Amino acid sequence: METITATFVRQCLPQRDPEGHKGDFGKVLCICGSVGYTGAPIFASRAAVRTGAGLVFLGVPQSVWPVAAVKSDEAMPFPLPETADGKLSLLAEEPVRQRAAGCDAVLLGCGLGRDWQTDTLVQDLLDMEKPLVLDADGLNAISENAELLQKRPAVTVLTPHEGEFLRLGGDLSRGREAAAAAFSQKYGVYLILKGHRTLIAAPEGRLAVNNTGNCGMAKGGSGDVLSGVVLALLGLGMDAFDACCCAVWLHGRAGDLAAADKGRRGMTPSDLLEKLPYALKEVE
């Protein structure tokens, strides 16, 4: 098993072209949020911006759009059809596909909530030929149909904590390392199994462990930040395993910088966003 280091991240991150324009640094799409979960889409989209994505689009339910519009300065939010209780409806499928067609990577799940239409929407969108990050309720939406992952036509990254992993059918009885490796190979996905010493597993058998991060990050919203970092790196066209490893290290390093500045108890996911550029600066 590999251990992710600053040197590894420095070697993997692509150089930023000093003459590049915003179209050179990835166009990414976040499909997130629902009524009652308005922070998740903001954390994810801001993280993608902070990680260097050139253009970040954010699709949210119609009722959430006014909130996202006020909170978004760099990301570009747009409204999508919703159910009566403010979650994405099946009518959102076509506009999501239209937006995704012009993007380099897509994130589904942060703060989506649960509804049969929302779950079905996520399952229907799995056939998109784009690198895809599934997190939170994007994972829950496929928890009873994990075999759909085996039909994905492009790179797929899953970012579950242990509870979500178990709901997906993961088996932790032999330990986290064996569980992550077996799941990744069975379903052909790149797995980020979050927690103390987060693991990254690849379908071809590579396995890595991360040593950055701290207990101050154990707050709602931190995972949304991680998903946005992964999305941005995939949007750059990075190798999926390298992107996952770099994202986890940078996310944890930002957490360590936030803890050093504000303490573990009081630090927030917003502090992670603030420290991400400094984590990147250390390895550039």
Side-chain angles (χ1 to χ4, degrees):
M1 183 168 67
E2 305 170 52
T3 298
I4 308 166
T5 64
T7 299
F8 175 92
V9 176
R10 186 176 295 111
Q11 292 172 344
C12 289
L13 283 177
Q15 294 293 314
R16 198 166 177 89
D17 184 354
E19 298 182 3
H21 57 79
K22 59 190 176 184
D24 294 331
F25 302 118
K27 301 176 184 178
V28 298
L29 173 63
C30 303
I31 303 299
C32 304
S34 61
V35 170
Y37 294 95
T38 57
I42 303 304
F43 288 137
S45 58
R46 283 182 178 170
V49 171
R50 285 290 195 180
T51 308
L55 290 168
V56 181
F57 299 96
L58 172 60
V60 296
Q62 176 74 50
S63 296
V64 175
W65 178 77
V67 178
V70 169
K71 289 187 174 184
S72 299
D73 295 319
E74 298 92 356
M76 293 166 282
F78 60 95
L80 289 167
E82 63 181 14
T83 63
D85 59 350
K87 299 179 179 67
L88 290 180
S89 79
L90 287 170
L91 295 176
E93 180 176 356
E94 189 53 36
V96 169
R97 289 187 184 276
Q98 290 175 1
R99 291 277 184 165
C103 291
D104 300 301
V106 179
L107 164 62
L108 281 174
C110 302
L112 283 183
R114 298 298 304 279
D115 180 274
W116 74 266
Q117 288 198 55
T118 313
D119 286 0
T120 303
L121 174 67
V122 171
Q123 294 173 25
D124 290 348
L125 290 171
L126 290 180
D127 67 357
M128 290 189 296
E129 296 183 0
K130 299 286 181 177
L132 178 66
V133 182
L134 282 175
D135 184 31
D137 285 323
L139 299 170
N140 292 328
I142 63 166
S143 59
E144 297 180 4
N145 298 280
E147 67 278 359
L148 293 173
L149 295 169
Q150 296 169 326
K151 301 177 182 179
R152 277 277 300 146
V155 164
T156 311
V157 176
L158 274 57
T159 62
H161 55 61
E162 288 188 3
E164 291 163 340
F165 182 68
L166 291 171
R167 284 194 288 275
L168 286 165
D171 179 8
L172 291 168
S173 63
R174 293 185 295 142
R176 285 166 52 88
E177 295 176 17
F183 188 96
S184 177
Q185 292 174 38
K186 177 179 179 179
Y187 292 105
V189 300
Y190 293 85
L191 182 74
I192 298 175
L193 184 56
K194 296 184 293 192
H196 177 62
R197 292 174 59 85
T198 291
L199 296 171
I200 300 89
E204 66 273 17
R206 290 184 74 184
L207 189 66
V209 63
N210 183 56
N211 287 327
T212 60
N214 61 81
C215 64
M217 300 168 68
K219 296 184 174 84
S222 293
D224 304 317
V225 174
L226 174 60
S227 293
V229 179
V230 177
L231 177 69
L233 297 183
L234 289 177
L236 283 173
M238 287 184 65
D239 169 81
F241 184 78
D242 290 348
C244 291
C245 290
C246 290
V248 169
W249 188 92
L250 289 165
H251 180 251
R253 181 59 184 150
D256 289 339
L257 292 172
D261 185 22
K262 297 186 176 181
R264 296 179 180 182
R265 191 180 301 273
M267 59 182 280
T268 69
S270 294
D271 297 321
L272 298 183
L273 292 171
E274 178 188 334
K275 297 299 184 182
L276 264 174
Y278 298 99
L280 281 160
K281 188 178 180 181
E282 287 185 354
V283 292
E284 288 181 335

